[in-house]
Amino acid sequence: MENIELARILAETADLMEIAAEDGFRIRSFRNAASVIEGYPERVASILHDPARKVTDIPGIGKGIASVLEELDKRGSFERRDLLLEKYPPTALEMLRIQGLGPKTIALLIETFRISTLDDLKRLAEEQKIRTLPRLGAKLEEKVLRGIEQYRKTAGRFLLNFAEQIATELSQYLRETEGVDRVTTAGSFRRGKETVGDLDLLVTGPDPVKALDRFAAHGKIQDMLAKGENKASAKVGVEGIQVDVRTLPTESFGAAMQYFTGSKEHNVALRQRSLKMGFTLNEYGLFTLEGNSRVASETEEEIYNKLGLAWIPPELRENQGEIDAAENNALPVLLELGQMKGDIHMHTRESDGRASLEEMAETARGHGYEYIAITDHSKALAMANGLDETRCIAFAQRVRALDHSALGIRVMSGLECDILKDGRMDLNDEALSQLDLVVASVHSYMNLEAAEMTDRYLACLENPHVKVIGHPTGRVLLHRDAFVYDFERIAKAAAAKGVAMEINASPERLDLHASLIRIAKSKGCRFTISTDAHHPKHMANMTYGVRMARRGWLTQPDVLNTLPYEQFRKALRP
Ligand code: DGT
Ligand code: CA
Ligand code: CA
Ligand code: ZN
């Protein structure tokens, strides 16, 4: 067995052990071993077969796991796993991924009702049988139904930062193949979409086909799905993300990039345009309808230009007006990462962050920023050790006392202040008035009716200290849908008050969605992009926020924290 398979089995067993309510320490040791083995540079099976060596020499592998590995290596499973699989159906693992359903409840439902599929579970909820169990009620039935729907919608998709990690690793690896010049990403990943279904990699060079053998030999390949003359597909890593690799001749590389970048909708529109102009367009190039002679294929620019269009940035290729804009030379000059001058939503140890103010400032300086705002949580988030009025005022004084020139960066005193259920701010005006920057966010009562949620945001905008609406729809990718409310109305009101909308760059959120960014912009809103960093390394996530802004057609002047410090301060709600 390869490391990747060993790791996957250990991780799955840990999930099952959780449902079986086994000892937490043991469960952690399985999970830990899975991640150690997945990343281990040497084949663990070879170590097992070598009498001169011991797997327990691998850090994180103890005696217990060592004997599990031996049994796994011998017969493809081990006793504890067999017992768990006998007791719980394979879909138990899927049930764990459903929001609102913990391992204890899953165990209870399986044992009571002998369910074995997601459809069984759905039926239980619909027939209102869950509420017949002690302590479980109608609320949970609703949650389960919503959770199943959500799960089915998102199953098999991956976060952008995860896809990027795999894309970078594989591209670098494939680029080392002899005969390969270029490896490029295509598909939804190149378009900067917030989640990715599968990864598309394009390989070219004088002799690119060897790249497919090299791909098949990569240590993270879990399951080879297909391998042909010039295309291979595989499931990669413990997470099992599908990667499609295509090899292409240099002369049609541009056409292939255009074709495989998509989106499908953009390509359909472009092909229709081609036909009207007397051409056909496919992955090999742009050809005349009559005579089938090649008009363009080597670069994307050529192809777009021959179709009477300016080159269209991948983030815009969603058939949302970009083709008309390209025809009229009216494409926006999209925002770039290098234009960001500050990060104005981040947390420190003062609440639930992992570093000090000084460490955050130091890292921000390394990113080349002119300024940051520290925005720890307010007291309503007791779990996060949120600040009350007294701590908030003391913190603002501490920031004022900092020697900014010694720090090499401007630090603003800020707060991510909770918006209470009725739209009031969590801290009083006296405290808020001491701060340079208040980001107002919803972290509670997230399932309000649309009308009530709309009123809540409207009320919040009335507070003159609120400068930015944080993660405005509360979505958590692959886990929680956006809040339901009248977004256009809030955008209009925010624009009127001069309150900025945040584009939260955390890869778990990427909130706002591109279509909402465009709506907000059309209502006159301006934006901030921030990482919501809870650790210095999270500040690198700014790139994802910028990608969302680009997908929302934003340009530098739309985004306040591209401005130099003094101008930024003036541009905030007065
Ligand atoms: P994903 O993977 O679900 O996040 O979305 P994409 O856009 O990466 O879709 P994918 O991987 O199925 O296909 C990559 C690109 O190939 C897609 O954006 C457009 C292009 N393409 C053009 N024609 C077709 C077609 O007939 N079928 C498929 N599957 N893709 C096509
Ligand atoms: Ca794809
Ligand atoms: Ca694909
Ligand atoms: Zn927040």
Side-chain angles (χ1 to χ4, degrees):
M1 257 190 227
E2 300 303 322
N3 289 357
I4 194 76
E5 294 166 84
L6 293 171
R8 185 174 49 83
I9 291 175
L10 291 179
E12 275 178 14
T13 308
D15 283 348
L16 288 170
M17 288 162 78
E18 209 155 313
I19 294 173
E22 291 191 23
D23 177 48
F25 181 77
R26 276 201 78 102
I27 297 174
R28 270 195 301 283
S29 79
F30 269 70
R31 282 204 204 294
N32 187 34
S35 83
V36 165
I37 292 173
E38 191 195 4
Y40 204 66
E42 205 183 334
R43 218 170 152 257
V44 171
S46 314
I47 302 177
L48 284 166
H49 298 161
D50 185 344
R53 305 188 54 191
K54 290 198 296 245
V55 274
T56 46
D57 289 341
I58 302 173
I61 306 292
K63 278 212 185 91
I65 297 287
S67 72
V68 161
L69 288 172
E70 274 160 31
E71 203 179 337
L72 247 182
D73 181 59
K74 274 201 200 87
R75 60 178 195 92
S77 189
F78 54 98
E79 200 188 341
R80 175 182 230 92
R81 178 170 183 261
D82 294 340
L83 290 173
L84 286 165
L85 286 176
E86 232 167 77
K87 200 159 166 205
Y88 302 106
T91 36
L93 294 171
E94 266 184 304
M95 292 180 196
L96 265 184
R97 311 263 115 74
I98 290 168
Q99 260 269 183
L101 209 52
K104 281 204 191 90
T105 313
I106 294 172
L108 183 63
L109 292 174
I110 291 175
E111 280 157 20
T112 315
F113 298 106
R114 304 263 132 227
I115 52 170
S116 58
T117 68
L118 279 192
D119 283 327
D120 291 347
L121 177 62
K122 193 169 169 216
R123 212 166 310 121
L124 274 190
E126 281 165 352
E127 292 170 359
Q128 310 191 333
K129 292 210 174 117
I130 295 179
R131 67 182 70 174
T132 61
L133 294 180
R135 282 189 304 280
L136 304 183
K139 263 232 162 82
L140 182 66
E141 287 166 354
E142 263 171 55
K143 250 189 179 170
V144 163
L145 290 175
R146 241 184 297 127
I148 292 176
E149 200 183 315
Q150 176 85 10
Y151 171 79
R152 293 206 157 133
K153 217 166 48 192
T154 57
R157 295 197 71 81
F158 298 88
L159 295 181
L160 187 55
N161 62 330
F162 171 75
E164 177 155 83
Q165 214 177 300
I166 303 285
T168 308
E169 183 179 341
L170 286 175
S171 308
Q172 271 168 11
Y173 170 84
L174 292 176
R175 219 168 272 133
E176 289 161 11
T177 318
E178 209 195 308
V180 167
D181 288 341
R182 277 177 82 187
V183 181
T184 322
T185 56
S188 53
F189 178 76
R190 183 166 179 241
R191 302 198 308 279
K193 212 172 155 179
E194 55 268 59
T195 63
V196 166
D198 66 14
L199 258 181
D200 303 280
L201 298 180
L202 305 180
V203 179
T204 195
D207 183 19
V209 281
K210 282 201 204 94
L212 298 184
D213 290 330
R214 193 167 155 79
F215 175 56
H218 191 278
K220 279 200 179 166
I221 302 292
Q222 199 190 100
D223 192 5
M224 209 62 198
L225 302 171
K227 187 160 171 288
E229 285 280 286
N230 40 34
K231 190 194 157 187
S233 292
K235 297 259 182 208
V236 175
V238 175
E239 297 82 359
I241 186 171
Q242 185 177 325
V243 180
D244 294 343
V245 180
R246 291 182 178 81
T247 59
L248 299 148
T250 312
E251 66 270 14
S252 59
F253 198 58
M257 263 171 79
Q258 198 292 312
Y259 183 89
F260 291 111
T261 296
S263 66
K264 218 168 171 177
E265 294 74 17
H266 174 87
N267 286 359
V268 166
L270 210 61
R271 274 202 296 272
Q272 281 165 355
R273 182 183 177 88
S274 308
L275 288 175
K276 271 197 210 128
M277 294 177 74
F279 300 120
T280 67
L281 178 64
N282 58 35
E283 63 265 53
Y284 304 103
L286 185 68
F287 301 89
T288 54
L289 274 174
E290 267 172 59
N292 200 31
S293 69
R294 190 189 301 241
V295 180
S297 64
E298 216 166 303
T299 67
E300 285 191 336
E301 282 86 346
E302 269 185 283
I303 292 169
Y304 282 104
N305 293 346
K306 283 283 193 291
L307 290 171
L309 304 172
W311 177 80
I312 300 174
E315 293 94 333
L316 301 186
R317 300 184 195 172
E318 300 289 350
N319 196 28
Q320 296 286 329
E322 72 278 10
I323 296 180
D324 281 348
E327 179 176 66
N328 300 320
N329 260 319
L331 284 171
V333 180
L334 295 180
L335 176 76
E336 285 179 27
L337 180 61
Q339 292 171 325
M340 300 309 300
K341 293 220 163 48
D343 191 342
I344 57 156
H345 179 169
M346 64 181 70
H347 300 266
T348 68
R349 247 179 245 129
E350 190 72 27
S351 63
D352 62 349
R354 304 270 294 280
S356 67
L357 184 166
E358 288 77 10
E359 287 166 306
M360 296 302 270
E362 175 72 29
T363 304
R365 206 164 49 94
H367 282 285
Y369 294 145
E370 249 180 66
Y371 52 88
I372 55 172
I374 304 286
T375 54
D376 274 304
H377 287 292
S378 65
K379 66 177 190 269
L381 268 190
M383 256 181 0
N385 187 26
L387 280 67
D388 61 11
E389 279 83 357
T390 312
R391 282 174 65 206
C392 173
I393 292 169
F395 166 75
Q397 281 165 352
R398 222 185 103 206
V399 171
R400 269 198 293 276
L402 285 173
D403 182 347
H404 296 269
S405 54
L407 270 177
I409 188 165
R410 280 268 163 194
V411 178
M412 285 175 274
S413 59
L415 184 75
E416 182 181 15
C417 189
D418 261 56
I419 304 172
L420 303 179
K421 189 180 178 208
D422 59 4
R424 276 179 308 127
M425 287 291 102
D426 186 21
L427 298 198
N428 65 29
D429 285 348
E430 193 201 334
L432 297 183
S433 69
Q434 306 280 312
L435 299 164
D436 295 323
L437 196 150
V438 175
V439 177
S441 304
V442 166
H443 295 117
S444 60
Y445 301 100
M446 295 186 268
N447 293 323
L448 297 184
E449 293 295 326
E452 203 179 349
M453 192 61 107
T454 307
D455 287 344
R456 184 184 191 180
Y457 273 111
L458 285 174
C460 144
L461 291 170
E462 291 301 322
N463 186 309
H465 302 296
V466 171
K467 310 280 190 203
V468 179
I469 301 288
H471 43 72
T473 73
R475 74 171 178 176
V476 176
L477 293 167
L478 310 183
H479 284 295
R480 188 169 75 212
D481 284 337
F483 307 148
V484 185
Y485 63 92
D486 187 345
F487 183 79
E488 286 188 30
R489 191 154 162 222
I490 299 306
K492 217 186 274 175
K497 302 270 183 199
V499 172
M501 287 276 183
E502 174 181 271
I503 297 173
N504 191 290
S506 162
E508 277 98 42
R509 291 188 182 270
L510 296 175
D511 183 6
L512 295 169
H513 183 277
S515 62
L516 295 183
I517 295 175
R518 290 187 76 181
I519 290 173
K521 180 171 169 169
S522 76
K523 300 293 170 205
C525 277
R526 293 220 272 172
F527 302 84
T528 60
I529 309 177
S530 296
T531 61
D532 199 351
H534 284 68
H535 187 285
K537 70 177 181 208
H538 295 158
M539 268 184 252
N541 291 334
M542 185 63 90
T543 178
Y544 305 118
V546 170
R547 254 177 266 179
M548 288 310 113
R550 290 168 65 88
R551 284 176 64 77
W553 292 51
L554 294 191
T555 64
Q556 179 269 320
D558 296 318
V559 181
L560 297 181
N561 51 330
T562 61
L563 294 169
Y565 179 70
E566 298 296 340
Q567 286 181 41
F568 170 76
R569 291 300 298 264
K570 283 197 204 108
L572 282 177
R573 180 189 203 166

